Amino acid sequence: MRQPSFFIPHGGGPCFFMDDPAGMWTRMEAFLAGFVAGLPERPKALLVVSGHWEEDAFTVQDGARPGLLYDYYGFPPHTYRLHWDAPGAPDVARRAAGLLADAGFATVRDAERGWDHGVFVPMKVAVPGADIPTAQLSLRQDLDPAAHIAAGRALAPLRDEGVLIVGSGMSFHNMRVRDGDATGPADIFDAALTAAVTDPDPEARARRLSAWSTLPHARFAHPREEHLIPLMVAAGAGGDDPAAHVFADHVIGWKVSGYRFG
C-alpha cells in the first residue's frame, strides 16, 4: 500500500517529556501520537527530514544504530537522558540517495551523525516502541524551496515501497515573538500557507509553495526558513495526490499546522 507523506510540527525542544500544567503541548502531542498509528498500514520504514540538519548537499544518515543529538539547551537534566532506540534504515537511506542522484542532485552519506531532536522527539511520541527502522535526510543549506520540492518528487517512489516520508519542522517559527504580538500575523500567514498547500492543482501548489516568501507576513513567520523547508520535501513527495490540513493549534500565540499528502 502506498504511504502518504506528512509535514508535522515537532514542538519546542523536548517539550512532550516535561511537566506541562497548562496543557500547552497537549493537542500537538495527541496529533503526533496518532499520525502513524492511524495509518491503514504500518510503514516498513520512516524517512524523516528535520529542520535541524543542513548540509551543502543533501545528506542521508545511513548508520545502522544512530545515537541521539540532544541539540537543545537549558532544559531539565532528565531530558538529556531520553532514549529512542529505533534501528536505522541504511537500505532506505541508500535508496533515497540513489533516487536523488538519479534526479541530478549531489548526495552524501553519513553513517556517524545521530538523530537530532527534530527526529527523536516527535518520533518518540509517534512510535513509542521505537520499532520502525528510520533514516534521516538533511536539508540543503541553500534552503531553496523549489529544489526541496523537486527532491521530494524524486523521493516519491519510496512511498510505494512502504516508506513514510515525514517533514519535521514548524509552520510558524519566530522565536522573537509570542502571545498577542504573534497571533494576528501568525493566523494570516497560516491561512495563506494552508491555501497554498491544499491547492487542488499540484503544479499550482508547487508554484505557490516555491513562492512562500511572498505570502502575507512570511518573514514575520519565518525570519529564517529552515523549519518550513521540510514541508517542501513532504509536498514534493506527495506528487499529484491531494493535501489535507490535518492539524492546527495555537501555541504561545503561534498558529501551528500539520499537513498530509495522499
Side-chain angles (χ1 to χ4, degrees):
M1 177 181 291
R2 167 179 279 192
Q3 291 290 340
S5 60
F6 277 91
F7 175 72
I8 63 168
H10 64 226
C15 58
F16 309 115
F17 305 100
M18 301 189 301
D19 291 339
D20 183 21
M24 180 185 302
W25 302 105
T26 299
R27 291 191 63 203
M28 190 181 297
E29 183 176 11
F31 166 70
L32 292 173
F35 90 95
V36 174
L39 293 172
E41 184 174 289
R42 190 170 176 79
K44 295 177 181 176
L46 307 174
L47 178 64
V48 185
V49 185
S50 162
H52 290 277
W53 186 18
E54 300 173 36
E55 297 287 354
D56 290 338
F58 287 113
T59 303
V60 293
Q61 209 295 350
D62 64 347
R65 282 286 175 183
L68 303 185
L69 298 177
Y70 300 101
D71 54 337
Y72 40 74
Y73 307 96
F75 290 93
H78 78 270
T79 65
Y80 299 91
R81 298 189 293 270
L82 295 173
H83 288 278
W84 190 67
D85 299 323
D91 54 340
V92 171
R94 289 190 287 269
R95 171 79 168 129
L99 289 168
L100 290 169
D102 288 346
F105 291 102
T107 59
V108 177
R109 286 158 52 179
D110 181 344
E112 302 302 320
R113 189 183 189 275
W115 288 321
D116 58 65
H117 76 274
V119 177
F120 78 82
V121 167
M123 292 302 107
K124 186 173 172 64
V125 177
V127 189
D131 54 354
I132 301 180
T134 299
Q136 184 176 0
L137 172 69
S138 78
L139 299 176
R140 202 173 71 179
Q141 202 159 35
D142 63 3
L143 303 180
D144 180 335
H148 286 79
I149 291 170
R153 286 199 192 104
L155 295 168
L158 291 171
R159 295 174 52 205
D160 292 314
E161 298 166 19
V163 178
L164 180 66
I165 298 172
V166 180
S168 172
M170 293 288 276
S171 60
F172 184 101
H173 193 259
N174 182 344
M175 300 296 288
R176 297 194 291 267
V177 298
R178 61 184 297 154
D179 301 327
D181 293 331
T183 302
D187 285 356
I188 293 169
F189 174 76
D190 185 83
L193 180 66
T194 297
V197 170
T198 57
D199 192 311
D201 179 342
E203 292 185 4
R205 177 172 72 197
R207 287 195 302 270
R208 293 171 73 175
L209 288 177
S210 294
W212 75 270
S213 63
T214 66
L215 298 177
H217 302 293
R219 285 299 176 188
F220 181 87
H222 292 279
R224 190 173 185 274
E225 59 265 37
E226 78 286 342
H227 274 69
L228 183 67
I229 295 300
L231 167 62
M232 308 306 168
V233 181
D240 293 342
D241 288 345
H245 188 197
V246 293
F247 174 77
D249 196 13
H250 283 95
V251 178
I252 61 169
W254 301 3
K255 181 69 175 292
V256 179
S257 285
Y259 305 101
R260 173 177 172 155
F261 303 87

